[in-house]
Amino acid sequence: MSSDTTTTASLQWPAGYRINPRVDGPAADVVAAFREIPVAAIGDAMSRNIGTIGLRQYHARLDTVLCGPAVTVRVRPGDNLMIHKALMMVQPGDVLVIDGGGDVAQALVGGLIRTTCVAKKLGGLVIDGAVRDLCEWAEEGMPLFAKGHTHRGPSKDGPGEINIPISCAGMAVLPGDLIVGDADGVIAIPAAEAARVLELGRAHLVKEAKIRADNEAGRSDPERFDATLHAKGLPV
């Protein structure tokens, strides 16, 4: 088959390898609006059971917000060949979400990759694996959440897959999902549901603002909790 008629779907990839095209995420205005919604509020709007577990931020500023469509990568633990390939495919604002199997024996990214990420204007990285060169990642300009860190560097042999469904630190991620991260954690929002979740998140913030004002004024509603206790048969 000639190169001009070959499609990604028709390619016969070797076992363990796959490179799918980049998937567009939500509209740019929706992505920008999510920068104003805390991850905790997004999680509350999405049933409070979605998001990464066990990651920490490696950028220094607590008020940094990571927000952008996902480019997903699955790698063999300790190998970053497909991360380098994915960085050839990203567009400005994309978030690289990497399933490294939670392994922290070898770092998947370091300072040299950070230089590429900055040049590509990447929106950030979320890694279920390890990083190194912490002083460089602590500089402003490239948000990074990862499982851990080590000085031990990666191999570049493969296998790996790009833009496939992955699991990252307990969170399912599809290519093009909107990824939002802040000091509280990281969450993935399906692209088709982003506008609706944005509406729910904004409504939740309005609700929280009223509760906060009542608490500050000493007007907290005891029946809000007593009703639940009554329903359980407690004599309160």
Side-chain angles (χ1 to χ4, degrees):
M1 183 178 290
S2 64
S3 59
D4 60 336
T5 58
T6 300
T7 65
T8 300
S10 67
L11 291 173
Q12 296 299 310
W13 296 100
Y17 293 85
R18 184 170 298 275
I19 302 173
N20 289 327
R22 178 186 175 276
V23 177
D24 289 334
D29 61 329
V30 174
V31 175
F34 267 101
R35 290 188 171 275
E36 306 301 321
I37 311 293
V39 168
I42 298 170
D44 286 353
M46 297 179 68
S47 75
R48 297 188 169 186
N49 65 352
I50 295 170
T52 59
I53 300 170
L55 300 187
R56 56 160 287 191
Q57 70 175 57
Y58 280 88
H59 48 277
R61 288 181 61 102
L62 285 176
D63 59 354
T64 298
V65 176
L66 174 153
C67 186
V71 171
T72 64
V73 187
R74 177 185 294 146
V75 299
R76 178 174 61 81
D79 189 278
N80 72 0
L81 175 64
M82 283 303 195
I83 297 174
H84 284 278
K85 177 58 181 176
L87 285 171
M88 300 177 191
M89 302 168 59
V90 296
Q91 294 186 11
D94 286 347
V95 173
L96 207 58
V97 186
I98 302 167
D99 175 3
D103 182 81
V104 294
Q106 290 176 270
L108 291 175
V109 302
L112 295 179
I113 278 185
R114 184 186 185 278
T115 303
T116 300
C117 294
V118 172
K120 292 278 188 175
K121 298 182 179 178
L122 203 68
L125 303 93
V126 182
I127 305 175
D128 196 2
V131 302
R132 68 176 184 174
D133 301 325
L134 269 59
C135 291
E136 294 178 59
W137 288 106
E139 298 173 9
E140 289 191 45
M142 190 51 54
L144 169 66
F145 294 85
K147 182 75 173 289
H149 57 273
T150 177
H151 66 282
R152 297 170 61 179
S155 60
K156 294 173 173 58
D157 298 320
E161 299 168 282
I162 298 173
N163 285 325
I164 63 162
I166 64 169
S167 174
C168 182
M171 179 176 71
V173 185
L174 299 179
D177 280 358
L178 179 58
I179 308 298
V180 185
D182 63 19
D184 284 328
V186 181
I187 198 164
I189 305 152
E193 300 175 17
R196 175 59 175 160
V197 173
L198 176 61
E199 178 184 336
L200 293 172
R202 284 171 167 166
H204 186 80
L205 290 178
V206 171
K207 176 183 175 182
E208 281 195 342
K210 182 181 183 306
I211 295 172
R212 184 174 291 106
D214 287 344
N215 288 348
E216 290 173 347
R219 297 192 303 266
S220 57
D221 180 11
E223 186 57 27
R224 177 184 171 206
F225 302 103
D226 283 350
T228 300
L229 296 173
H230 278 304
K232 295 180 180 295
L234 277 72
V236 295

